[in-house]
Amino acid sequence: MKSPDKHSSSGPDRWLDEHGDYLFRFALTRVRNESTAEDLVQETLLAALSALHQRSGQSSERTWLTGILKHKIVDHFRRSWREQPLEDDPPTGLADEPGMDEFFAEDGHWDHKPASWGNPFRSLEQSQFFDVLQNCMQRLSPKLAQLFVLKELHDMSNEEICKELGVSPTNVWVMLYRARMNLRQCLESKWFENDREAL
Amino acid sequence: MLTCKEASRLLSQSMDHALPRMKRLELRIHVWLCSACSNFEKQLLFLKRAARQLDERDSQTDQARLSSEARERIRKAVGK
């Protein structure tokens, strides 16, 4: 691959060649569906074309295009958020009633205590670890996965997420909590338990 | 004294914004005394860091690429 950022304004006819795969991967990490990711790349390039005259030369072309793609991804989440069935929504009672919680016993103790992961940061040097993480993200319900992406990959505040998706602050924190609980459990069983001998 | 269930919720919230001072204090005491919740907190911090590196991982390896069909379709749609 060439190093596109060195010539930061190659012009629209080179966008697809120079940034297409990058934008596609960026989208695919977030939406986990190839045809949706392809559509998002297309929408991004179309939007970029019509916004070309507003572009200030401040950032590199790739950074600029990625910024547009990020907006397109949020738009996509907002649309799919409305279309998804209601049973994905958390119960309004927050599962605070005794016995209503999948992770805790009635007395508030962990059902399965989180184990020590040793020095987990070593895993970040292994590409297989990221495959497991993506796989665990895919096992989340679509809404939980989308919230996790907006929070941790797009680095949005809870307030921004509420505004963009039209969700209440309570739902945002409850769903982020559930996403994290599920991801933690998934990583522990799919990666760290197998990795234990190596620690 | 907080239960583990309450502590786990506060720990998740503390990843997103600062907690009120008293809550923070209660939480620190619980985590100090409870190895499961202490593990949980480390795992949440790790998860945050790992998620941020997903993009870097993707750009380093030549994994997914636009298929030639998708590329042609997009080229036509964009008209370039």
Side-chain angles (χ1 to χ4, degrees), chain A residues 53-78:
Chain A
H53 61 283
Q54 299 164 357
R55 185 180 174 231
S56 65
Q58 300 290 341
S59 57
S60 79
E61 193 172 76
R62 178 169 288 192
T63 306
W64 178 64
L65 290 170
T66 308
I68 297 173
L69 175 56
K70 272 187 164 185
H71 283 289
K72 294 290 165 196
I73 290 168
V74 176
D75 290 344
H76 166 70
F77 285 176
R78 192 185 304 113

Side-chain angles (χ1 to χ4, degrees), chain A residues 141-181:
Chain A
S141 78
K143 285 190 177 185
L144 293 193
Q146 290 175 356
L147 267 192
F148 185 77
V149 162
L150 292 181
K151 183 77 220 181
E152 306 296 12
L153 279 76
H154 281 202
D155 204 17
M156 282 166 69
S157 71
N158 289 26
E159 291 73 23
E160 287 171 309
I161 296 174
C162 291
K163 212 172 74 189
E164 290 290 356
L165 299 181
V167 201
S168 74
T170 305
N171 275 3
V172 170
W173 88 251
V174 173
M175 292 176 87
L176 277 174
Y177 173 70
R178 290 180 153 206
R180 287 165 174 153
M181 292 292 271

Side-chain angles (χ1 to χ4, degrees), chain A residues 17 21 25 29-30 38 42 94 96 104 108 114-117 131 151-152 155 173 177 180 184, chain B residues 4-5 8-9 12-13 16 37 39-40 43 46 48 52 55 57-58 64-66 71 73 75 77:
Chain A
D17 291 331
D21 287 330
R25 281 195 292 269
T29 300
R30 287 154 176 79
E38 288 164 3
Q42 179 172 318
L94 282 187
D96 254 339
F104 293 92
S116 167
W117 289 356
D131 296 337
K151 183 77 220 181
E152 306 296 12
D155 204 17
W173 88 251
Y177 173 70
R180 287 165 174 153
R184 181 213 82 71
Chain B
C4 291
K5 183 166 154 178
S8 72
R9 291 175 173 188
S12 176
Q13 289 173 19
D16 303 326
C37 288
N39 287 339
F40 179 66
Q43 292 170 6
F46 170 73
K48 212 174 222 327
R52 264 162 214 218
D55 285 322
R57 186 272 316 222
D58 273 356
R65 291 175 179 282
L66 279 170
R71 191 176 290 275
R73 200 166 60 239
R75 198 181 298 282

Side-chain angles (χ1 to χ4, degrees), chain A residues 94-114 173-174 177-178 180-182 184-185, chain B residues 2-12 27 30 34-38 40-41 43-44:
Chain A
L94 282 187
D96 254 339
E97 304 80 7
M100 286 284 290
D101 198 295
E102 55 197 300
F103 301 106
F104 293 92
E106 290 201 10
D107 61 2
H109 281 97
W110 291 94
D111 245 355
H112 298 283
K113 289 187 176 179
W173 88 251
V174 173
Y177 173 70
R178 290 180 153 206
R180 287 165 174 153
M181 292 292 271
N182 284 307
R184 181 213 82 71
Q185 205 168 49
Chain B
L2 294 172
T3 64
C4 291
K5 183 166 154 178
E6 290 164 335
S8 72
R9 291 175 173 188
L10 289 173
L11 284 169
S12 176
L27 186 59
H30 181 100
C34 172
S35 63
C37 288
S38 165
F40 179 66
E41 181 175 38
Q43 292 170 6
L44 289 184

